[in-house]
């Protein structure tokens, strides 16, 4: 007879991992049922950092609510703001100046690299390798310096606005981005030498946290989690926005379906982001960085939806407007929530040590899940 999910038998042990645990990367609480060191069930408990962001947005104007989303997936702050701005622009039927579109894409791809850099360092540290964390931050700090010079912030940027971007790029922007590209290319071999080719790392990752393409689709996983199982899910390719349909880049797919495959997707995605930046950095068109809009925005009555590809997957923004200056209802489809739903499937039957490896490859940002 099959046991029900979550049922315990004699000899089972129930332990708590989190909400204060470094491996959960935030206030995520896991209730784990173990038999010896074998995982029988993992039940995530959410709510420790719930801030009612969607409800808060209903009392903010269409300019104001965008910046609350920087505090969801804070490692994809630019892309969160971008998705919200596009939804408002869809309602207003705004045409975005070409210069603003290019700047937005450049900022999105720099954000993607910075996010994957932090993930790579944290992933290695979760499995016991401390040095890569410092190497990852060496390159990531260069991106943060570029962001700070143009946006005035290093984490929650508040740079995207309905119609374009808040300010034009700094005069040093192009030079500093080119300097970063040179730095990254000179250091990328270290990533493979320290981590990717490390036999201990490979043994901890290969064959661990396996999920088939069919199950990825069933759980609604997107981003590198889906692409690590060979599922094509890149919003930039399937539903191109801004100028992505004019750019040459590959959707990175791996068919290993395990933790190592998801690791390789993110590593290779950084290379594709570099390709995109190289195509644009010397081809930023002249002109306005923001379309002309009214000081107070009103969306017509109706429902509007937009989506963008964050570093963790597909972020959806749904707005219901009653024709006023504030949204009647807002709903965010965050990638981390759906990806987390697959955790029990990934680790059930594995060892407790495998939980850290598999969970790390989901690249969870808890405020993105627990809004």
């Amino acid at each position: 007879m099959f046991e029900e999910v979550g049922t315990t038998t004699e000899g089972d042990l129930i332990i708590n991992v989190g909400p204060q645990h470094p491996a959960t990367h935030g206030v995520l609480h896991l209730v784990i049922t173990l038999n010896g060191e074998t995982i029988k069930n993992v039940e995530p408990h959410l709510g420790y950092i719930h801030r009612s962001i969607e409800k808060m947005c209903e009392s903010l104007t269409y300019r104001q609510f965008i910046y609350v989303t920087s505090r969801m997936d804070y490692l994809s702050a630019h892309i969160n703001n971008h998705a919200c701005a596009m939804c408002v622009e869809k309602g207003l039927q705004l045409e975005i100046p070409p210069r603003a579109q290019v700047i937005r894409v450049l900022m999105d791809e720099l954000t993607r690299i910075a996010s994957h850099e932090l993930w790579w360092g944290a992933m290695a540290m979760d499995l016991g390798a401390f040095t890569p964390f410092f190497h990852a931050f060496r390159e990531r700090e260069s991106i943060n310096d570029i962001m700070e010079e143009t946006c005035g912030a290093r984490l929650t940027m508040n740079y995207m606005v309905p119609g374009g971007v808040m300010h034009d790029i700094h005069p040093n922007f192009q030079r500093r981005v080119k300097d970063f590209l040179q730095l990254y290319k000179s250091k990328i071999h270290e990533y493979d030498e320290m981590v990717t080719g490390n036999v201990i790392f490979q043994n901890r990752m290969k064959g661990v946290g396996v999920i088939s393409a069919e199950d990825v689709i069933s759980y609604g996983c997107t981003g590198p989690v889906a692409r690590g199982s060979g599922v094509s899910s890149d919003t930039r390719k399937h539903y191109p926005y801004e100028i992505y349909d004019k750019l040459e880049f590959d959707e990175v797919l791996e068919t290993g379906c395990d933790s190592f495959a998801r690791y390789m997707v993110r590593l290779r995605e950084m290379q594709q982001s570099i390709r995109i930046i190289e195509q644009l950095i010397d081809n930023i068109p002249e002109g306005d960085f923001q379309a002309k809009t009214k000081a107070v925005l009103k969306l017509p009555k109706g429902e509007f939806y937009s989506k963008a590809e964050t570093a963790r997957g597909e972020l959806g923004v749904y707005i219901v407007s009653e024709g006023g200056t504030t949204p009647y209802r807002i709903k965010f489809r965050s990638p981390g929530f759906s990806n987390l739903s697959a955790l029990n499937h990934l680790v059930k039957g594995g060892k407790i040590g495998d939980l850290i490896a598999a969970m790390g490859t989901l690249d969870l940002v808890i405020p993105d899940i627990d809004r």
Side-chain angles (χ1 to χ4, degrees):
M1 187 173 75
F2 293 103
E3 293 178 356
E4 294 180 11
V5 173
T7 59
T8 58
T9 57
E10 187 176 352
D12 287 351
L13 179 66
I14 296 177
I15 65 169
N16 296 287
V17 174
Q20 307 295 338
H21 192 285
T24 61
H25 298 283
V27 285
L28 174 63
H29 178 199
L30 302 177
V31 179
I32 306 173
T33 304
L34 294 173
N35 189 288
E37 285 200 17
T38 302
I39 297 173
K40 293 183 67 177
N41 188 64
V42 175
E43 186 178 333
H45 285 200
L46 305 175
Y48 292 91
I49 196 168
H50 181 65
R51 295 151 295 168
S52 298
I53 280 180
E54 290 164 346
K55 197 66 182 173
M56 287 166 56
C57 290
E58 294 170 14
S59 61
L60 300 173
T61 69
Y62 288 108
R63 292 190 185 277
Q64 293 171 331
F65 92 90
I66 292 174
Y67 308 119
V68 178
T69 63
S70 295
R71 280 78 182 167
M72 290 173 15
D73 176 4
Y74 45 80
L75 298 179
S76 295
H78 269 310
I79 310 176
N80 295 348
N81 298 163
H82 191 175
C84 294
M86 288 195 298
C87 198
V88 174
E89 289 156 4
K90 183 179 286 188
L92 296 173
Q93 296 185 329
L94 269 180
E95 188 173 337
I96 312 306
R99 182 176 181 84
Q101 292 188 42
V102 172
I103 293 172
R104 281 177 166 186
V105 171
L106 281 167
M107 290 300 189
D108 282 5
E109 296 310 314
L110 286 170
T111 298
R112 197 179 316 279
I113 296 171
S115 177
H116 285 348
E117 290 277 6
L118 188 147
W119 167 83
W120 178 78
M123 182 76 244
M125 189 163 63
D126 281 350
L127 299 186
F130 197 67
T131 303
F133 192 75
F134 295 105
H135 286 252
F137 267 78
R138 176 186 56 199
E139 280 78 68
R140 190 173 188 273
E141 283 299 293
S142 298
I143 296 177
N144 285 347
D145 291 342
I146 294 168
M147 298 294 191
E148 185 176 23
E149 200 168 52
T150 287
C151 312
R154 300 173 72 86
L155 189 67
T156 52
M157 310 301 180
N158 302 347
Y159 186 58
M160 309 286 182
V161 298
V165 293
M166 188 173 289
H167 309 288
D168 205 353
I169 53 176
H170 193 276
N172 294 336
F173 180 80
Q174 287 170 288
R175 177 185 59 80
R176 296 195 70 168
V177 169
K178 289 177 185 177
D179 290 344
F180 163 74
L181 294 178
Q182 284 190 327
L183 172 67
Y184 180 84
K185 288 179 178 180
S186 69
K187 303 296 185 183
I188 187 62
H189 66 93
E190 296 179 1
Y191 292 37
D192 291 331
E193 291 170 5
M194 285 192 298
V195 179
T196 312
N198 186 291
V199 66
I200 299 174
F201 181 80
Q202 290 191 11
N203 288 338
R204 292 289 305 274
M205 298 285 276
K206 289 185 176 180
V208 171
V210 175
I211 183 169
S212 68
E214 292 76 15
D215 288 326
V216 158
I217 295 169
S218 177
Y219 282 105
C221 300
T222 57
V225 176
R227 293 191 284 276
S229 294
V231 176
S232 177
S233 64
D234 195 328
T235 308
R236 298 170 297 171
K237 286 288 190 182
H238 291 280
Y239 305 96
Y241 50 95
E242 304 297 9
I243 57 167
Y244 277 113
D245 56 341
K246 300 174 184 176
L247 299 172
E248 292 184 10
F249 69 99
D250 299 325
E251 179 180 11
V252 177
L253 295 174
E254 293 279 343
T255 56
C257 301
D258 59 5
S259 296
F260 192 74
R262 295 188 286 275
Y263 168 86
M264 289 305 300
V265 167
R266 291 188 179 92
L267 213 59
R268 290 172 57 200
E269 274 191 0
M270 288 193 280
Q271 304 279 14
Q272 296 304 316
S273 291
I274 293 293
R275 278 183 68 189
I276 292 172
I277 293 169
E278 287 178 329
Q279 293 172 59
L280 295 176
I281 195 61
D282 285 323
N283 296 296
I284 303 175
E286 297 296 328
D288 296 330
F289 58 85
Q290 188 182 139
K292 288 181 171 57
T293 57
K294 294 181 180 179
V296 178
L297 302 178
K298 286 186 179 181
L299 261 63
K301 188 172 182 178
E303 301 178 12
F304 309 97
Y305 186 79
S306 68
K307 53 187 173 182
E309 185 73 19
T310 74
R312 265 144 287 282
E314 180 186 308
L315 170 68
V317 181
Y318 173 64
I319 297 176
V320 179
S321 171
E322 290 291 309
T325 58
T326 60
Y328 172 75
R329 181 73 175 93
I330 280 188
K331 171 67 179 174
F332 298 115
R333 189 270 180 208
S334 63
F337 187 85
S338 297
N339 292 344
L340 176 64
S341 70
L343 180 61
N344 189 47
H345 181 95
L346 290 175
V347 301
K348 196 171 183 179
K351 302 299 183 184
I352 184 67
D354 297 336
L355 169 69
I356 306 304
M359 185 166 60
T361 60
L362 295 180
D363 193 10
L364 301 175
V365 174
I366 308 308
D368 174 56
I369 299 165
D370 193 9
R371 299 180 299 281

